[in-house]
Amino acid sequence: MTRPMTPTRRIASALLLLAALLPVFTTQGQAQAPDTPTNTTPAADSAVESAGAQPVPEPQPTLIVRDLLVLQADQYGQLANDPAQLRTTLDQPILHRGRAKLIDDNGGYTNSPMPLGLISFQGIIDQPMRVRVDLPADNAMVHAHWPTDALTGNRQVHWLSVQAAGPDQRADRLGNGEHWLTAMRAADDRLWLTMRDPQRKEKFLLYDVAVPYVPAMKLEQADQAYKLVKQAKTDQTPPITLLLIRHQDQGWSAQSLQSPWPGEEPQLLAAAAGQPREVDLNKLLSPLTEQLRQRGYNDAEVSLARQMVGSALEKSQMSLVYIMPDGEIDKQVQLRVEPAPGRLTRTAIVVINHVDPDMGTRVRMLIAELG
C-alpha cells in the first residue's frame, strides 16, 4: 500500500528531479549558443547589414600637390612656348629672359596671363620639401620662375626648403596695382609657402619654360569637312579636344571631341560654316574647365587656365586645344617633389595654332609673291 506524499516530501522530490535535469539543460544551451544571436533584434540585424554595405570613405592624403601647365605650340613650329612666337607677358616683378611682350594700344605692356606652369599645395606639409622642374631635352630652356629665391639653370628650377608659411611672413607685391595672379593669392584652400627667405611667403610656384613638342594631331582637308588625324607616336587618347575657329566678323565656333581618333580611323569634323557662333570664348571652353574641376582645381586655377588658353590663341584662324594624356607631359617637363606628397596631380593643356589645312598653301603663295 502506498503512503500519500506530504507537502514536504513533494518539495524534496521536485528539487531532486530539478537537480538531475539541470546538466542536460546547460549542455543544450551551450550547444545552441554559437548559432543563436544574443541581444540582437531583427531591426538591429538589418541596421548592421545596411551599415556594412556602405563604402568606407578613403582617407584624404595629408598633402596634395597640383601642377597646371599651359603650352602654346604652332602646327609649323618646333617649340612649345617658343619665345619668338609668344606675345603675352608675365608682368614685373616676375622676370622674363628673352620672352616677347604684348604691347597694348597705348604703347605699354599689358598685364595679362601667359602660358606657364603653376604649382599649388593643399593639405598639411609635415616637413621641408624640395620642388624641382627638369627639362630633359637639350634644346629646352627655362625663361622665368617665381618666387625667384630658387636655384636655376638653363633647364632646371629648384626650390629648396618649401614649408608652410605663417602670418609673420609677407608676400611680395605683384606688379603695379591689380595683377592677374591676385585671385590665386586669395584662394583659401591653398597653402601659403615660405622657402629660402624666411621673411617672404607665396601661395604658388610658377615656371615658364619652352620645350620641343610635336603636336599630337593635325587637320587635313576632306571634301567640305575636315579630318582630324593622329600625328604623334602615342596610343593614348587625350581626355578632351576642342577645335576653335575664329571668324573674321567676330565670334567663335567650336567642336568638342571626347575621342579624337577611335582606333586608327581619322575623325571627320563638320565644316566651319555650319557651326553656331559664340562671342564669349569662356562658354566654348566649358568642357575644358569642367575637366579641371573634376581633377580638383579650384575656381581661381580654372579661371586662370581659361585666361592662359585665351592668350595663347593668338590670331590663328583655327586652333586645337586639348589636354595631354596622363604621363605624356613627364617626357618633356619633369616635376619632382621630395619627400613625395600624398597625391600629385599634373594637367598639361596644349594650344596648337594655325592648324588650318590651307595655311601651308597660303604661306607658300606669299613666299612666292615676295620672291
Side-chain angles (χ1 to χ4, degrees):
M1 181 175 178
T2 305
R3 296 172 57 186
M5 296 181 65
T6 63
T8 303
R9 292 184 63 185
R10 289 193 187 98
I11 294 173
S13 299
L15 290 174
L16 290 173
L17 180 61
L18 180 62
L21 295 177
L22 184 60
V24 177
F25 292 148
T26 304
T27 303
Q28 292 178 349
Q30 291 175 346
Q32 295 176 358
D35 298 328
T36 305
T38 58
N39 299 326
T40 304
T41 63
D45 286 344
S46 62
V48 171
E49 292 176 1
S50 176
Q54 295 178 356
V56 178
E58 296 183 1
Q60 290 295 321
T62 57
L63 179 63
I64 302 175
V65 179
R66 293 185 177 88
D67 176 35
L68 177 61
L69 176 63
V70 177
L71 295 170
Q72 182 207 46
D74 190 280
Q75 186 65 43
Y76 303 97
Q78 298 180 349
L79 287 177
N81 289 359
D82 191 334
Q85 296 174 346
L86 282 175
R87 293 294 182 271
T88 52
T89 177
L90 272 174
D91 193 20
Q92 295 292 340
I94 304 175
L95 304 178
H96 18 332
R97 299 185 310 205
R99 176 68 86 201
K101 297 180 180 180
L102 175 66
I103 299 179
D104 60 20
D105 295 335
N106 297 322
Y109 294 129
T110 62
N111 176 24
S112 62
M114 67 184 304
L116 50 73
L118 180 145
I119 307 171
S120 64
F121 300 78
Q122 181 183 21
I124 300 173
I125 297 179
D126 296 324
Q127 56 183 307
M129 299 182 303
R130 294 183 176 185
V131 181
R132 191 171 70 194
V133 176
D134 288 308
L135 310 178
D138 291 337
N139 55 341
M141 64 192 80
V142 173
H143 291 298
H145 59 88
W146 183 261
T148 56
D149 55 347
L151 301 177
T152 184
N154 291 334
R155 293 188 287 121
Q156 182 186 94
V157 181
H158 195 177
W159 290 279
L160 302 174
S161 188
V162 179
Q163 306 176 64
D168 297 336
Q169 285 90 357
R170 60 176 175 79
D172 285 346
R173 184 175 181 180
L174 286 171
N176 298 320
E178 196 71 15
H179 194 273
W180 50 272
L181 285 167
T182 303
M184 273 302 304
R185 280 189 170 176
D188 294 334
D189 59 341
R190 296 300 188 259
L191 294 177
W192 280 104
L193 310 169
T194 184
M195 278 142 278
R196 297 174 69 187
D197 187 344
Q199 301 301 318
R200 297 172 57 193
K201 66 179 180 180
E202 190 50 87
K203 223 164 191 177
F204 41 76
L205 306 180
L206 300 175
Y207 59 95
D208 179 11
V209 298
V211 295
Y213 185 68
V214 176
M217 62 200 80
K218 66 178 180 179
L219 282 183
E220 294 181 356
Q221 197 75 39
D223 296 330
Q224 300 300 316
Y226 300 105
K227 183 168 60 175
L228 186 65
V229 296
K230 182 168 109 176
Q231 183 167 280
K233 295 180 179 180
T234 177
D235 295 329
Q236 298 188 68
T237 301
I240 194 168
T241 302
L242 295 171
L243 171 62
L244 295 176
I245 302 172
R246 185 197 301 264
H247 300 279
Q248 294 181 352
D249 56 346
Q250 298 184 345
W252 298 79
S253 60
Q255 296 186 55
S256 177
L257 308 169
Q258 295 292 339
S259 193
W261 54 83
E264 294 295 329
E265 294 296 326
Q267 183 151 354
L268 292 177
L269 308 176
Q275 296 300 309
R277 301 184 183 184
E278 176 64 56
V279 177
D280 187 359
L281 184 60
N282 290 334
K283 292 183 179 179
L284 298 180
L285 295 177
S286 58
L288 176 70
T289 57
E290 183 60 29
Q291 280 277 333
L292 295 179
R293 289 192 174 94
Q294 292 178 8
R295 296 175 179 225
Y297 294 94
N298 61 24
D299 290 342
E301 290 165 331
V302 170
S303 176
L304 183 59
R306 283 199 305 259
Q307 295 178 67
M308 287 194 291
V309 169
S311 69
L313 287 173
E314 288 285 324
K315 298 296 183 182
S316 173
Q317 181 181 355
M318 292 187 186
S319 301
L320 284 172
V321 179
Y322 66 94
I323 295 178
M324 294 178 67
D326 292 338
E328 287 291 319
I329 188 57
D330 297 324
K331 301 174 183 177
Q332 298 290 346
V333 182
Q334 298 174 352
L335 175 62
R336 295 184 175 90
V337 181
E338 302 171 354
R343 183 187 304 162
L344 174 60
T345 301
R346 303 196 71 192
T347 302
I349 304 172
V350 181
V351 179
I352 311 176
N353 290 317
H354 304 120
V355 297
D356 184 350
D358 294 334
M359 177 62 68
T361 302
R362 292 201 299 269
V363 170
R364 286 190 291 271
M365 291 177 59
L366 289 173
I367 293 175
E369 290 177 3
L370 296 173

